[in-house]
């Protein structure tokens, strides 16, 4: 599940201290590498709870949502991108995988999905050991890059060109970074730093995860890569050396932020045993801080993609709306153009779960939730669990004009449902 928003930066805007820096975080932002150790025998009941909570969020019509729930209970077909140059080499790889019925993913160059791959375990790993071994071997050899098809969307819609200066703010373990490098290196040959027109700066705050990304990049011909280890919420300013002066600003920025990951339950079944509606609350402040910092680093006329693998509006529309309010008129949302793919429109109203209450089948969605900040009891307003920025923009918009502008732009955001 990927929620996308393009932000076109139109003028300089300095970062202020209004964005919460939050506490230290260590959440995975790669849906294709999520793994959960514990499964619960009553997974159907957990899926029913997730379905009940999101049924009142208005992500789509009730009939469409029922279809989504049915698909969440089915195995997730694995996907990959071909890295081998040449039609003959690609054909040989597809022939090796023919028993698992590979089909083309039409909106991403070189991407395929295996439709007869079988089921996965609670950690999200394929039960078919032969297929798992074959895919791992092809990736280690640099012939393919394993990546869920939904995870390919943010880079695809950014329309990255070889000359672009690109920042991946939360890059590890590196599936999207590898996709960016492919976009920047159309020749398929090793490019030297001196002759390269563009550059990817891949950042992550955990050095071990960053080392994994670097190791992946070494396996294939790639455009120049600069790896940085920093907290994305407070990413430092980079400055040009030699003849160029001033701060570095990026043509394209990818904010694929740490999230609750509840959009990955089709693959990582073990997540259901731990899921609660409150899971997204603890990520909201960090996500907002990362997005605001990304906006500040974007060049005039540049594009930024904000994405999560979560269904929860508190991690998606709420973050985008608050960032728009923070940035004023310096940014605007652009609707992603993917005619081959059906994407749901962003929502303008949503409900925030209580930070304290448990399950109650007598309540809509099975959990106490609030549609507006004014509904939140005084005892739940302290401690930072619930924030005004989590709620729809009428909570904090300073004028009717600002509220109308944010609401229109939220409708341009897109969500990929199961």
């Amino acid at each position: 599940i990927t929620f996308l928003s393009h932000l076109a930066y139109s003028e300089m805007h300095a970062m202020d201290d209004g964005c919460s820096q939050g506490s230290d975080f260590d959440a995975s932002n790669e849906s294709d590498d999520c793994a959960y150790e514990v499964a619960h025998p009553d997974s159907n009941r957990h899926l029913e709870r997730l379905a009940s909570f999101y049924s009142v969020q208005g992500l789509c019509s009730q009939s469409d949502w029922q279809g989504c729930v049915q698909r969440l209970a089915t195995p997730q077909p694995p996907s990959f991108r071909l890295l081998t140059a040449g039609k003959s080499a690609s054909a040989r790889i597809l022939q090796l995988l023919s028993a698992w019925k590979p089909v083309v993913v039409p909106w991403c160059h070189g991407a395929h999905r295996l439709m007869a791959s079988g089921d996965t375990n609670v950690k999200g790993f394929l039960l078919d050991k032969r297929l798992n071994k074959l895919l791992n071997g092809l990736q280690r050899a640099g012939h393919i890059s394993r990546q869920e098809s939904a995870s390919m969307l943010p880079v695809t819609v950014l329309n990255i060109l070889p000359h672009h200066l690109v920042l991946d703010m939360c890059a590890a373990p590196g599936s999207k970074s590898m996709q960016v490098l492919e976009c920047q290196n159309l020749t398929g040959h090793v490019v030297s730093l001196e002759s390269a027109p563009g550059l990817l700066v891949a950042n992550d705050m955990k050095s071990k995860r960053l080392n994994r990304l670097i190791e992946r990049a070494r396996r294939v011909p790639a455009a120049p890569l600069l790896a940085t280890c920093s907290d994305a919420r407070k990413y430092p300013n980079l400055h040009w050396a030699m003849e160029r002066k001033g701060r570095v600003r990026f043509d394209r920025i990818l904010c694929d932020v740490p999230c609750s990951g509840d959009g990955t339950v089709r693959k990582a079944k073990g997540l259901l045993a731990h899921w609660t509606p409150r899971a997204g609350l603890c990520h909201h402040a960090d996500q907002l801080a990362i997005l605001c910092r990304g906006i500040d680093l974007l060049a005039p006329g540049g594009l930024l993609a904000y994405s999560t693998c979560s269904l929860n509006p508190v991690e998606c529309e709420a973050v985008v709306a608050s960032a728009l309010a923070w940035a004023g008129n310096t940014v605007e949302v652009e609707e992603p153009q993917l005619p081959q793919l059906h994407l749901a429109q962003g929502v303008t109203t949503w409900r925030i779960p209580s930070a304290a209450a448990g399950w109650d089948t007598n309540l809509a969605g099975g959990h106490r939730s609030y549609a507006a900040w004014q509904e939140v009891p005084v005892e739940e307003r302290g401690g930072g669990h619930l924030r005004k920025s989590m709620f729809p923009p009428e909570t904090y918009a300073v004028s009717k004009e600002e509220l109308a502008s944010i609401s229109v732009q939220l409708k341009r955001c897109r969500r990929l449902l199961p």
Side-chain angles (χ1 to χ4, degrees):
I1 306 297
T2 306
F3 177 90
L4 301 174
S5 174
H6 276 187
L7 299 180
Y9 201 57
S10 57
E11 63 180 83
M12 301 297 183
H13 192 93
M15 179 76 174
D16 61 21
D17 295 325
C19 278
S20 168
Q21 300 300 328
S23 57
D24 192 32
F25 64 94
D26 184 23
S28 172
N29 65 300
E30 279 288 341
S31 62
D32 27 315
D33 290 281
C34 287
Y36 298 89
E37 296 292 337
V38 181
H40 196 285
D42 196 3
S43 59
N44 287 336
R45 180 166 61 91
H46 290 297
L47 181 58
E48 289 173 1
R49 286 182 170 182
L50 182 144
S52 176
F53 174 75
Y54 283 118
S55 68
V56 300
Q57 294 290 359
L59 305 183
C60 57
S61 68
Q62 287 299 314
S63 60
D64 286 346
W65 177 242
Q66 289 304 312
C68 291
V69 175
Q70 292 174 7
R71 286 186 288 275
L72 284 174
T74 62
Q76 172 75 36
S79 304
F80 63 91
R81 287 177 292 105
L82 289 168
L83 304 181
T84 302
K87 292 184 178 180
S88 59
S90 298
R92 288 196 297 271
I93 293 173
L94 293 177
Q95 181 61 35
L96 283 174
L97 297 168
S98 60
W100 294 278
K101 299 181 180 179
V103 298
V104 173
V105 177
W107 42 264
C108 183
H109 176 71
H112 292 74
R113 186 183 293 116
L114 299 177
M115 302 307 295
S117 58
D119 208 347
T120 59
N121 62 17
V122 297
K123 299 180 183 180
F125 300 128
L126 292 168
L127 295 178
D128 189 330
K129 294 183 179 180
R130 178 169 166 248
L131 175 58
N132 203 44
K133 182 178 180 179
L134 181 56
L135 290 175
N136 287 338
L138 288 170
Q139 177 160 279
R140 283 195 298 270
H143 296 309
I144 68 169
S145 179
R146 296 182 66 177
Q147 185 180 6
E148 296 300 336
S149 56
S151 178
M152 303 174 193
L153 277 170
V155 174
T156 299
V157 299
L158 277 177
N159 191 28
I160 294 170
L161 300 175
H163 67 274
H164 281 152
L165 185 61
V166 184
L167 172 64
D168 189 349
M169 299 189 74
C170 306
S175 295
K176 296 180 183 66
S177 291
M178 295 302 297
Q179 191 180 356
V180 171
L181 290 173
E182 292 164 35
C183 295
Q184 292 184 303
N185 183 24
L186 299 179
T187 64
H189 302 291
V190 177
V191 180
S192 67
L193 185 61
E194 292 77 14
S195 62
L199 174 71
L200 167 63
V201 179
N203 176 72
D204 201 85
M205 71 180 299
K206 296 294 182 180
S207 59
K208 290 183 179 180
R209 289 164 55 85
L210 200 59
N211 288 336
R212 181 179 173 187
L213 183 155
I214 296 170
E215 191 62 32
R216 291 185 68 175
R218 285 174 176 162
R219 298 173 187 161
V220 296
L225 167 67
L226 170 64
T228 62
C229 187
S230 181
D231 185 342
R233 298 166 296 184
K234 299 173 284 188
Y235 193 79
N237 290 326
L238 304 181
H239 293 269
W240 293 107
M242 308 298 287
E243 64 276 1
R244 298 184 67 174
K245 302 294 182 181
R247 282 178 54 188
V248 174
R249 292 186 181 272
F250 296 89
D251 303 304
R252 299 289 187 269
I253 295 181
L254 179 60
C255 287
D256 186 53
V257 295
C259 65
S260 64
D262 62 12
T264 69
V265 296
R266 190 178 177 189
K267 176 183 176 181
K269 301 173 184 177
L271 176 62
L272 277 174
H274 308 281
W275 180 85
T276 73
R278 302 187 299 276
L281 299 179
C282 63
H283 295 287
H284 173 85
D286 291 329
Q287 293 162 340
L288 179 56
I290 292 171
L291 179 54
C292 289
R293 185 59 184 144
I295 292 173
D296 193 40
L297 293 166
L298 197 60
L303 290 174
L304 181 152
Y306 174 80
S307 63
T308 78
C309 50
S310 170
L311 290 165
N312 204 330
V314 75
E315 302 181 77
C316 300
E317 286 93 340
V319 176
V320 173
S322 296
L324 289 172
W326 169 81
N329 295 323
T330 63
V331 296
E332 63 179 5
V333 176
E334 293 187 1
E335 180 181 338
Q337 300 299 320
L338 286 168
Q340 308 100 320
L341 191 62
H342 176 68
L343 298 171
Q345 182 175 276
V347 297
T348 58
T349 60
W350 54 87
R351 301 188 67 86
I352 299 300
S354 168
W359 289 101
D360 186 345
T361 55
N362 295 318
L363 296 173
H367 197 280
R368 178 170 289 111
S369 60
Y370 311 111
W373 175 254
Q374 291 76 11
E375 299 177 9
V376 179
V378 175
E379 57 270 20
E380 287 198 55
R381 295 187 181 187
H385 297 295
L386 298 184
R387 303 165 180 259
K388 288 185 177 181
S389 60
M390 296 177 176
F391 289 84
E394 56 262 24
T395 302
Y396 48 80
V398 297
S399 66
K400 291 182 178 179
E401 291 75 16
E402 182 184 62
L403 174 59
S405 174
I406 294 176
S407 298
V408 167
Q409 294 188 70
L410 287 180
K411 293 179 181 179
R412 299 178 195 159
C413 299
R414 290 295 180 264
R415 176 181 278 105
L416 177 62
L417 294 168

